[in-house]
Amino acid sequence: MTHSRPADLPAAWAGTAVTVVMPTYNEAANLPRIAGLVLALPLPGLHLKIVDDSSPDGTGRVAEELADAANSGGRRRMSVLHRTAKDGLGRAYAAGMTAALDEGAAFIVQMDADGSHPVHVVPQMLGTALATGADFVVGSRYVDGGSLAEDWGLHRRLLSKWANFYAGTVLSTRIRDITAGFNLWSARTLRDVDLSTLGSAGYSFQVELKFRATRIGHNGVEIPIRFEERTEGVSKMSFGTQIESALVPLRLRLRNRD
């Protein structure tokens, strides 16, 4: 795995209220390491919110222990939102992002708990949004400089590229990595979209949110990342979520034929 030094931001920018929303399900083996990396970022205004779907492996308990340790200095740096049912990544993100908005976050970052997203890029994402005025920033695998880990097999590479081509073509979007799950959003954009109106329960939440945001006039910027293979555990991508991911772009296109 590649480790790089996070970008240094001006103090005023580094202190921006940013919440990293990280859904978890059976990620007890990954969470301590990834939470430590996030909380070590040079962003005094950063808060980490874990959204756990009653993981049977005890991820929620691990998250609470990590939060207790992170908050021992007097500042609330980490929190845990416990959900009683596993009803999809998209709904977990919507719940966590809504809570972060209610708590006053100016920007919200979506990040997986499996180690596939490069934590050190978060300050760059924030700096890009503040410097350019972008409403959202996509950590992209498919712009110049972006890449996938070598241990991704040919089948997965082709499937990922096809999914982006398919969704992008159906929705007529210029976003190169519309399925990306590593994104930074301004609070204003998320409020304008209204997370409660999104219909996607699974991974297609990523597509629907970007489409809806650009549809109502918000602009995004893509920056290159290297997407790693998860370090522990197994993927949560089921056949049902793959079917949903294929149908959602068609549904969105039909609803927005103008």
Side-chain angles (χ1 to χ4, degrees), residues 142-189:
Y142 300 121
V143 294
D144 288 344
S147 64
L148 296 168
E150 287 80 4
D151 44 5
W152 266 50
L154 179 61
H155 173 73
R156 290 180 67 194
R157 288 173 180 270
L158 292 176
L159 180 61
S160 176
K161 289 184 177 181
W162 178 85
N164 269 286
F165 172 78
Y166 164 75
T169 300
V170 170
L171 298 175
S172 301
T173 177
R174 295 182 179 179
I175 300 174
R176 298 284 297 278
D177 198 351
I178 195 170
T179 66
F182 186 34
N183 312 289
L184 176 141
W185 298 89
S186 73
R188 180 173 64 92
T189 301

Side-chain angles (χ1 to χ4, degrees), residues 159 162 166 202-204 237-251:
L159 180 61
W162 178 85
Y166 164 75
Y203 289 82
S204 55
M237 176 72 82
S238 67
F239 179 73
T241 59
Q242 292 180 48
I243 293 297
E244 182 198 32
S245 296
L247 293 178
V248 163
L250 292 173
R251 188 186 74 220

Side-chain angles (χ1 to χ4, degrees), residues 74-125:
R75 177 173 165 262
R76 189 169 175 266
R77 303 190 64 218
M78 181 174 174
S79 58
V80 186
L81 175 60
H82 295 278
R83 300 200 319 143
T84 57
K86 184 177 184 293
D87 63 349
L89 178 71
R91 294 198 175 105
Y93 264 128
M97 295 163 101
T98 299
L101 290 173
D102 291 342
E103 293 163 4
F107 291 91
I108 294 175
V109 176
Q110 295 177 267
M111 181 182 291
D112 289 348
D114 60 11
S116 58
H117 296 152
V119 175
H120 71 273
V121 176
V122 171
Q124 181 187 354
M125 298 173 87

